[in-house]
Amino acid sequence: MKKFYCVTSSVDDYGRCTAAITAECEADTKPESKFTSTNRKDIYSDWFDSLSEAREFAKSAREV
């Protein structure tokens, strides 16, 4: 089993972005990334193989 990390990010209608590591799990295969759109924002859940990769993605998403 391998550990995977989820970064949840959201972008509102004004272009503001938030992102954070919100979950981790142990599994044989990486969970599928997801996308949801609401009236006010788009929400993304992206899974990564390593904690450092997830941290870097969250940091770069907040800097947009």
Side-chain angles (χ1 to χ4, degrees), residues 19-41:
I21 298 171
T22 57
E24 64 180 56
C25 75
E26 288 189 22
D28 292 328
T29 59
K30 183 168 37 174
E32 191 173 322
S33 296
K34 296 180 181 179
F35 165 78
T36 303
S37 184
T38 67
N39 288 334
R40 296 184 297 171
K41 65 176 109 176

Side-chain angles (χ1 to χ4, degrees), residues 5-62:
Y5 302 88
C6 180
V7 174
T8 301
S9 54
S10 67
V11 181
D12 67 18
D13 289 342
Y14 299 103
R16 293 180 295 221
C17 181
T18 61
I21 298 171
T22 57
E24 64 180 56
C25 75
E26 288 189 22
D28 292 328
T29 59
K30 183 168 37 174
E32 191 173 322
S33 296
K34 296 180 181 179
F35 165 78
T36 303
S37 184
T38 67
N39 288 334
R40 296 184 297 171
K41 65 176 109 176
D42 294 333
I43 304 166
Y44 303 86
S45 297
D46 298 295
W47 287 90
F48 297 90
D49 295 322
S50 70
L51 182 57
S52 62
E53 189 179 10
R55 285 180 178 155
E56 183 61 35
F57 181 84
K59 180 181 174 187
S60 65
R62 287 189 301 263

